[in-house]
Amino acid sequence: MSAATWNSVDTLESRPSSEVKLLLQSLIFEYNDNPKQLVSNEVIRRGLCKLQLCCGYDDPHLQIKWCQLAVIALNNSQCAFNRRELNELIQFILDACKRTNYIYSTVEALGALLYNAQLEDVDYMDEIVGDQGVLLELCQGLAPEKEVQHLAFRCLNNLLGRLKDDNYLEVIMSMLSRVSHSRNPGDNINKTRVSLGLARCFATAAKSNKSPHGTELILSFVKGSMFEGIGRFTSPAISLESLSLDELNLSDTSNRQSQPHVRMKKSRQKKKKPVIGNDNEEFRRRQPNKLYPIPNTKVSQKPFGQNGATAITSSKNDPHEETASKNEPVQIQKNMGFETKQTDFSVSTSESEYSESDTEDGIQGKVAVIQTRVRFSSFVALQQCIGNIRKTNMYSVWCAFLPPDPSTGLLNIIRKETNTKCKIAALGSLSALIDASKHYFVAANSHQGQSPGKANVSFTPFSQTLAEALISLHDELLDLYPGCHAGVAPHLLQCLAVLVVNTPYSKLRPGIITRVLDLCYDTLAGIAADATQNKMQIASLNLLCACFTVETPSSEVAGWLQCKNDTLQHILEALQFPNNHKDGLQVICRLIRFYFPSIITWWKDIREKSQAILSASSDTLIQNMSLLVLEELGKVLINSLEKEVLELEVIKEHWTDILKVIIVPILQDELSPLAPGACDILSTIGNPVFTALETHTQRLIMTLVLALTHHKSIAVVSSACRCLGVFVTYPCIHDDLLFVADTANAIIKSLEEPSTTDSSLVLRVSWSLGNLSDTLVTNKLQNPMFVNDFSDLLLGRLFEVCLKWVGGNDKIKSNIVRALGNLLKFIKKSTYEKVHFVDYVSSSITCLLQCSSSGMMKTRWNACYALVNTLQNPVLNPSQSQWGPELFQTLIDVIAQCKNFKVRINATLALSQCVSRDHYGNYFCKIWSTVFGILVDGIGSPPPNMVGYSEKLRLQLVLLICHLVSLHEIDDRSEMVGAFPSKGYQSDLIRSSSRVSTLDTLTPEEQDIIEKGRQTALQVKPDLDLLYVMLSPTELPSDDEAFRTSDISSQKH
């Protein structure tokens, strides 16, 4: 049919209704004869709007004819109606619903019109999905024809995924709740189809519904509907606030007749609503559309859009066939290096795939197929719903779907399910449930309550209950694998991988992870060289990766690898297939990083395979993963060299080969996307190997990396600067003034660029800046002439970039304050006397003081240590600087008030660095009094993770006292003695202080400081008798008071 027939609509104005009816019938007939009309969407849009005006609101028969034409036309085209046209057509259809008895055609037209419409443009949402909306009334079965109810459910399902108004969602959820709780009259087919409509609506609503009530409703429905056709289990309503196992236990009532609805509580009596209409068989001819497909055809659930056609395929297959589709997506959740894929279980939307047989077998087969779809949609709803549950409520869901009695839970369904897609969907739901409950698993412990000396207790600890549940879950999944369908096996392994990465095996009985590894080994050994087993190979590799990632390094896994020493051979065999490269290389990375001693004999084979994949693959992701394997290999090889496991010549040969074949060609190619990975590999070479290389090779590498700091790519610049930050610390080149200056200029350029806003770039470059500053200090100590040769202009620029980025995030700030401390220690007197350097120093110290008193603890720790370096420079005299009083007061406050013991230790260490009494100025006695006050009152109770640092802090305070007493002057003694506690509190002070001087961990330098302080106190007796006794462990007081064990602070109160 040409566009002429549609264009003839323009001539229908003021024509009798009989001619309009003839044209409508003609268009319907021609569409049925040839659905794929060569008519533009614009012509159809204009024709439908014109015909609607011609039909008017007076003739219900014309309205029905228009609805039938609209269904066919809209399903075979993509008409874009404007807001006015859309609302006029919707008003027309809603009026037809009220006037005519032919409800089916009008609802069909409404669904087709709304399928691709923007719901924000619809002004009649109240009439459609409001409290008295037509779709909600029809879903409740108010029309006598059950086909209308099923059609209304499908229309509602299409709308649910796009509704953004929470009010409408609440109304719809309330209606679905009423329908799910009611007794649906009719035969088993209609009852089951109502359950299917509910399941699909709940699955769609689960994506957008966030309210706890809606989540409980969906979970309650799913808990019953997932047994549809398998067995009947009556479940109570699930309350997310209830954590009681008893309340969530399910009674087995499988001997009851299977019902399609989930009856949880008595539904309330509802007033009867008027019947909306009645269908006529003349207008029940099913047209090919998105909402109700032709009998004996299967309509694929794809977005309506390609040439306006809906995919229709034959469905003559056995409904119970378990052959897996080639495109069965399932959620594969992976943590710690695993990729997370979204579930998209595609199913047919047709319920009419079988002939209308009156035989009992035909009806039962039809019911069985629909029940399978109910279960499938229920699993999709469960998986979507799990993401909306709060962590605090997840345990009640866990107990409901994985109860102690496995016959009433999800595992029983997975075991009994005969449909492949349903079983895959159930495994996807189980994976989601495991991943969402992982925060509980850390409490699992099967070792509690097993002490032979303890009597049996009357309760089971929660930790042991969790441990038993995890062990049981492992046993169930491992027992399901033998004889598992080929299409289900990969998804079962993926579910196991999710379980493995979330299980604390060190707290469970040994041998569980070994069973999983044995399964992986046996599976991979049989299929590693089989090109047809790609899915199984990938799933096995993912599970191996999970086993090699959890609680690393694991002694049980290491022992297993020693026994199965050919595991890596099977992994390398699987890598011959390109589809396995990503997962196989990921497994090898984990093995190298955590279990290299167990596979050390294979390291050359790993290098050769990585090089081969790098050369053969054109995928940048795979190439970068090959480089990552070589990077991990470089790290463990240098560690093996330090432990004398491998010889230097062997490792040098390895590096010579990859430098020549891989790294240098990549770095010389300006357009190579692999340059960042090559730089990261270079940063693992290590000083011994770099020193052993030929001089010209060293210079070539350094030149290439320096050149990459001018690259346009941020990733390349970032990796190149990090590599330079590693090189500059190597003893063989750290005193090379030109290289150090070039590195400094490259770092400054990267941080001074106006376009430098990438936090990852700044973080890496700031780390290199910290390493560069360490090298400057090292060169100053080893070669004082280096300070004179280093450019003051370059030093000033380093101060400027540090001050520019000290306000970055905590990680960047932590690196910057480290660099500032080293630069302040490096600066020489002639440089400091310059005006602008005085400002640099003052601004730098102000920033360090701000960072030491607030912010992340690592930043505060680094800032205090930077002040240690600052005060070690005799050029910087606090007593003669404006920043001196603030510096001392800030450090005193940190020592007295900070809760972190490591920060307090560094602040105390900083106060011990002044080289003369003059540097302390008026703060000398105040520091003395503060230290004695802390020792008398007690240093405080450290948190559990700081217990080992309490004695270190006490030692540092005693060392500070010794340092101060060695610098004191005669005028200071009166105030120093005045800080001593009264005799009633001296014995505990003596006891705690004298214990410090007997520590086995004291270094020779610390012993010298304590001895020097003791000798100084001895020389000024009797003024400093107490100090002498404090530092003399052999001269403890003999009176009874010296042996009190109560805390000093408790005595004072």
Side-chain angles (χ1 to χ4, degrees):
M1 178 183 65
S2 65
T5 310
W6 278 100
N7 291 331
S8 63
V9 174
D10 295 334
T11 64
L12 288 179
E13 280 193 44
S14 66
R15 294 292 183 90
S17 59
S18 58
E19 294 187 18
V20 177
K21 180 179 179 180
L22 287 175
L23 181 57
L24 287 171
Q25 289 176 337
S26 175
L27 288 171
I28 293 172
F29 176 79
E30 293 184 15
Y31 257 116
N32 287 333
D33 189 49
N34 182 19
K36 297 183 179 180
Q37 305 291 342
L38 298 177
V39 183
S40 68
N41 295 328
E42 180 62 22
V43 172
I44 296 175
R45 179 194 66 80
R46 192 173 62 250
L48 287 174
C49 293
K50 188 70 175 177
L51 282 170
Q52 179 263 319
L53 293 175
C54 294
C55 291
Y57 293 86
D58 298 329
D59 191 341
H61 195 70
L62 283 181
Q63 288 179 317
I64 292 301
K65 286 293 182 182
W66 183 92
C67 289
Q68 292 173 348
L69 175 63
V71 170
I72 306 172
L74 292 175
N75 285 334
N76 291 279
S77 64
Q78 288 185 333
C79 298
F81 298 96
N82 58 41
R83 186 185 184 100
R84 180 186 59 81
E85 294 170 342
L86 178 64
N87 285 294
E88 287 180 355
L89 295 180
I90 292 175
Q91 183 185 12
F92 178 79
I93 295 174
L94 293 175
D95 182 78
C97 287
K98 298 175 183 178
R99 290 175 175 273
T100 181
N101 292 330
Y102 312 135
I103 304 297
Y104 189 89
S105 297
T106 58
V107 175
E108 217 175 5
L110 180 63
L113 184 61
L114 294 175
Y115 190 81
N116 286 321
Q118 296 293 330
L119 299 186
E120 295 81 3
D121 295 338
V122 178
D123 298 334
Y124 294 93
M125 292 304 296
D126 282 337
E127 287 78 1
I128 299 173
V129 291
D131 287 328
Q132 303 295 326
V134 60
L135 286 184
L136 270 61
E137 291 183 343
L138 293 175
C139 286
Q140 295 177 75
L142 298 186
E145 291 291 335
K146 290 302 178 182
E147 294 293 341
V148 176
Q149 184 181 17
H150 309 322
L151 176 63
F153 269 120
R154 288 197 292 279
C155 293
L156 184 62
N157 184 35
N158 287 333
L159 292 178
L160 268 174
R162 295 178 289 147
L163 275 177
K164 297 180 181 179
D165 192 324
D166 292 338
N167 295 325
Y168 290 130
L169 286 174
E170 290 181 7
V171 172
I172 294 173
M173 294 297 289
S174 177
M175 180 276 298
L176 294 176
S177 174
R178 291 194 300 271
V179 175
S180 65
H181 293 167
S182 64
R183 291 183 175 274
N184 298 310
D187 54 24
N188 281 340
I189 293 181
N190 284 326
K191 292 178 181 179
T192 312
R193 289 176 69 182
V194 170
S195 295
L196 178 59
L198 288 169
R200 287 178 174 169
C201 288
F202 279 131
T204 306
K207 299 179 183 179
S208 54
N209 187 281
K210 307 294 182 183
S211 68
H213 174 72
T215 301
E216 290 180 13
L217 173 61
I218 296 172
L219 290 176
S220 297
F221 175 81
V222 169
K223 190 63 180 72
S225 62
M226 67 182 186
F227 286 98
E228 190 81 37
I230 291 181
R232 172 49 43 201
F233 295 83
T234 301
S235 64
I238 296 178
S239 172
L240 298 183
E241 303 300 330
S242 172
L243 299 181
S244 171
L245 283 172
D246 295 333
E247 293 179 14
L248 292 172
N249 276 345
L250 307 175
S251 58
D252 184 0
T253 57
S254 55
N255 57 338
R256 298 186 185 182
Q257 184 180 359
S258 176
Q259 300 291 337
H261 64 276
V262 183
R263 186 184 179 191
M264 292 176 289
K265 55 185 178 180
K266 213 169 185 179
S267 60
R268 290 176 292 186
Q269 193 96 16
K270 297 190 294 289
K271 294 182 179 179
K272 290 187 177 181
K273 296 186 178 180
V275 176
I276 293 181
N278 189 10
D279 275 14
N280 190 312
E281 283 298 322
E282 178 185 354
F283 300 101
R284 290 284 308 282
R285 184 171 34 205
R286 300 174 186 173
Q287 306 294 345
N289 61 81
K290 308 175 188 72
L291 301 173
Y292 206 92
I294 296 176
N296 300 324
T297 61
K298 182 178 181 180
V299 179
S300 175
Q301 196 176 37
K302 295 181 179 179
F304 183 83
Q306 297 181 355
N307 299 326
T310 304
I312 301 178
T313 57
S314 174
S315 59
K316 299 178 181 179
N317 297 332
D318 184 0
H320 297 288
E321 183 179 355
E322 277 202 16
T323 304
S325 171
K326 294 183 179 180
N327 298 315
E328 291 178 343
V330 66
Q331 183 182 34
I332 303 173
Q333 300 207 8
K334 296 175 269 182
N335 296 343
M336 301 180 69
F338 300 104
E339 208 178 87
T340 302
K341 302 178 182 177
Q342 183 62 32
T343 304
D344 181 21
F345 301 105
S346 301
V347 298
S348 167
T349 59
S350 170
E351 286 86 36
S352 305
E353 296 188 6
Y354 300 93
S355 60
E356 299 288 345
S357 173
D358 293 331
T359 64
E360 185 176 353
D361 291 341
I363 294 176
Q364 289 181 351
K366 200 170 184 180
V367 170
V369 172
I370 301 174
Q371 287 175 335
T372 300
R373 293 183 183 137
V374 173
R375 297 195 301 273
F376 183 88
S377 298
S378 299
F379 295 136
V380 175
L382 175 59
Q383 189 170 354
Q384 294 290 345
C385 203
I386 286 173
N388 300 332
I389 302 172
R390 291 181 298 179
K391 291 183 178 180
T392 54
N393 297 330
M394 184 53 67
Y395 187 66
S396 62
V397 181
W398 172 274
C399 294
F401 288 93
L402 293 173
D405 181 10
S407 64
T408 61
L410 193 56
L411 287 171
N412 187 39
I413 296 180
I414 296 175
R415 188 185 304 108
K416 290 185 176 181
E417 182 61 68
T418 58
N419 183 273
T420 301
K421 287 188 176 181
C422 281
K423 185 170 286 192
I424 292 173
L427 286 170
S429 299
L430 179 59
S431 298
L433 185 58
I434 293 171
D435 194 61
S437 307
K438 59 187 176 184
H439 54 282
Y440 287 111
F441 298 165
V442 294
N445 193 338
S446 61
H447 305 309
Q448 291 188 1
Q450 296 182 358
S451 176
K454 291 184 179 181
N456 292 332
V457 293
S458 60
F459 69 95
T460 302
F462 178 67
S463 58
Q464 193 168 349
T465 300
L466 281 175
E468 292 173 357
L470 287 175
I471 294 172
S472 175
L473 193 55
H474 278 81
D475 293 340
E476 290 285 344
L477 291 178
L478 289 170
D479 291 343
L480 282 174
Y481 187 78
C484 185
H485 189 274
V488 178
H491 304 287
L492 179 58
L493 294 181
Q494 294 291 2
C495 185
L496 264 173
V498 177
L499 178 61
V500 166
V501 296
N502 293 313
T503 301
Y505 290 100
S506 60
K507 299 180 181 180
L508 306 182
R509 58 175 170 78
I512 301 175
I513 190 69
T514 300
R515 289 185 62 196
V516 180
L517 287 168
D518 287 339
L519 174 63
C520 290
Y521 178 85
D522 295 339
T523 303
L524 193 60
I527 62 172
D530 189 349
T532 63
Q533 295 289 339
N534 179 247
K535 287 186 177 181
M536 284 297 298
Q537 291 165 355
I538 291 176
S540 301
L541 291 172
N542 282 332
L543 184 52
L544 273 178
C545 194
C547 295
F548 297 147
T549 302
V550 64
E551 294 186 343
T552 54
S554 167
S555 57
E556 185 176 348
V557 175
W560 182 86
L561 283 170
Q562 293 289 347
C563 298
K564 306 285 188 178
N565 52 14
D566 60 339
T567 302
L568 194 57
Q569 178 182 352
H570 299 312
I571 296 173
L572 295 176
E573 285 180 4
L575 281 174
Q576 64 182 302
F577 306 113
N579 290 339
N580 299 337
H581 285 170
K582 178 183 174 182
D583 304 279
L585 291 173
Q586 200 172 42
V587 176
I588 291 176
C589 279
R590 298 297 191 279
L591 280 172
I592 295 174
R593 184 181 301 173
F594 303 119
Y595 300 101
F596 185 70
S598 302
I599 60 167
I600 193 170
T601 57
W602 294 88
W603 73 269
K604 290 186 178 180
D605 300 276
I606 292 174
R607 183 193 68 192
E608 292 173 0
K609 177 60 72 172
S610 299
Q611 290 179 344
I613 293 175
L614 181 64
S615 303
S617 178
S618 58
D619 187 346
T620 305
L621 175 63
I622 301 301
Q623 291 175 328
N624 277 311
M625 292 195 68
S626 300
L627 294 178
L628 182 61
V629 170
L630 295 176
E631 180 186 349
E632 294 291 343
L633 194 58
K635 293 177 184 178
V636 295
L637 287 178
I638 196 64
N639 290 335
S640 300
L641 178 62
E642 293 173 356
K643 297 177 181 178
E644 299 182 354
V645 178
L646 296 175
E647 297 181 356
L648 177 60
E649 286 301 319
V650 176
I651 300 178
K652 178 186 174 182
E653 180 184 351
H654 159 77
W655 276 102
T656 303
D657 180 52
I658 66 171
L659 282 171
K660 179 181 179 181
V661 178
I662 298 176
I663 295 179
V664 172
I666 290 176
L667 297 185
Q668 289 176 336
D669 184 2
E670 295 182 358
L671 302 178
S672 175
L674 307 178
C679 289
D680 291 339
I681 294 175
L682 267 180
S683 64
T684 66
I685 191 171
N687 178 67
V689 179
F690 191 86
T691 306
L693 295 176
E694 301 292 337
T695 304
H696 71 275
T697 304
Q698 294 179 359
R699 298 300 174 188
L700 175 62
I701 293 172
M702 293 157 58
T703 303
L704 290 173
V705 176
L706 282 168
L708 289 178
T709 59
H710 301 275
H711 203 277
K712 295 180 180 179
S713 171
I714 291 178
V716 175
V717 174
S718 173
S719 296
C721 287
R722 180 182 177 276
C723 188
L724 290 175
V726 175
F727 285 173
V728 79
T729 62
Y730 289 168
C732 61
I733 56 174
H734 74 68
D735 58 349
D736 186 334
L737 181 62
L738 292 178
F739 175 68
V740 172
D742 288 340
T743 301
N745 281 313
I747 291 173
I748 291 169
K749 177 185 175 298
S750 301
L751 292 176
E752 281 184 342
E753 288 287 339
S755 59
T756 302
T757 57
D758 187 85
S759 59
S760 61
L761 168 64
V762 178
L763 179 60
R764 279 193 159 194
V765 178
S766 64
W767 179 84
S768 299
L769 178 57
N771 283 10
L772 173 66
S773 64
D774 288 338
T775 298
L776 294 178
V777 172
T778 303
N779 287 334
K780 178 182 180 180
L781 298 176
Q782 295 179 356
N783 181 16
M785 294 302 297
F786 186 90
V787 181
N788 297 326
D789 295 335
F790 195 79
S791 169
D792 286 349
L793 177 61
L794 192 55
L795 182 61
R797 293 180 65 196
L798 288 172
F799 271 110
E800 288 175 356
V801 295
C802 286
L803 293 173
K804 174 184 176 181
W805 288 103
V806 75
N809 61 46
D810 285 328
K811 291 184 178 180
I812 295 173
K813 189 182 296 184
S814 181
N815 292 328
I816 294 296
V817 297
R818 177 166 70 101
L820 280 175
N822 287 325
L823 294 178
L824 291 170
K825 184 176 181 178
F826 178 78
I827 193 171
K828 60 181 183 290
K829 184 176 181 180
S830 60
T831 304
Y832 179 57
E833 291 173 350
K834 297 179 180 179
V835 177
H836 54 284
F837 273 97
V838 173
D839 296 334
Y840 288 151
V841 171
S842 178
S843 299
S844 299
I845 293 179
T846 301
C847 292
L848 292 179
L849 295 177
Q850 292 175 353
C851 294
S852 64
S853 57
S854 63
M856 191 173 67
M857 287 303 171
K858 183 179 179 180
T859 303
R860 298 181 67 178
W861 186 91
N862 277 2
C864 289
Y865 195 81
L867 291 172
V868 172
N869 287 330
T870 301
L871 294 176
Q872 286 177 349
N873 190 345
V875 174
L876 306 178
N877 188 345
S879 64
Q880 298 177 2
S881 306
Q882 295 180 352
W883 43 264
E886 183 183 0
L887 182 146
F888 287 125
Q889 188 59 51
T890 301
L891 290 175
I892 289 173
D893 292 340
V894 171
I895 296 173
Q897 300 173 10
C898 184
K899 296 181 180 179
N900 187 282
F901 276 58
K902 294 174 68 176
V903 176
R904 296 172 70 184
I905 291 170
N906 273 4
T908 308
L909 182 62
L911 288 176
S912 306
Q913 303 307 311
C914 293
V915 294
S916 67
R917 168 65 180 81
D918 176 62
H919 281 204
Y920 286 103
N922 298 330
Y923 273 82
F924 182 87
C925 293
K926 187 172 183 179
I927 295 171
W928 176 275
S929 302
T930 301
V931 174
F932 265 92
I934 294 173
L935 288 174
V936 170
D937 293 336
I939 62 174
S941 300
N945 61 336
M946 289 284 172
V947 172
Y949 293 96
S950 59
E951 285 300 323
K952 292 183 181 179
L953 175 59
R954 194 186 307 276
L955 169 63
Q956 202 58 55
L957 291 170
V958 172
L959 292 174
L960 175 55
I961 290 175
C962 295
H963 178 72
L964 292 175
V965 78
S966 65
L967 298 179
H968 85 284
E969 298 175 351
I970 296 176
D971 297 338
D972 300 323
R973 289 181 187 171
S974 60
E975 292 190 47
M976 292 170 66
V977 173
F980 291 160
S982 60
K983 290 185 178 181
Y985 305 108
Q986 288 182 3
S987 59
D988 285 335
L989 173 63
I990 293 170
R991 175 182 293 278
S992 61
S993 302
S994 60
R995 186 169 67 246
V996 168
S997 60
T998 62
L999 292 175
D1000 297 333
T1001 57
L1002 289 178
T1003 64
E1005 292 80 4
E1006 292 170 345
Q1007 292 175 355
D1008 291 342
I1009 293 173
I1010 293 176
E1011 181 60 26
K1012 184 178 180 181
R1014 194 174 72 86
Q1015 293 300 326
T1016 304
L1018 179 63
Q1019 293 173 7
V1020 293
K1021 271 189 172 186
D1023 294 341
L1024 299 180
D1025 276 349
L1026 176 62
L1027 181 61
Y1028 178 77
V1029 175
M1030 287 172 56
L1031 303 177
S1032 302
T1034 58
E1035 299 189 20
L1036 291 173
S1038 57
D1039 57 323
D1040 295 337
E1041 192 179 17
F1043 299 96
R1044 291 179 301 167
T1045 57
S1046 58
D1047 187 77
I1048 293 176
S1049 60
S1050 64
Q1051 295 177 32
K1052 294 174 70 175
H1053 294 289

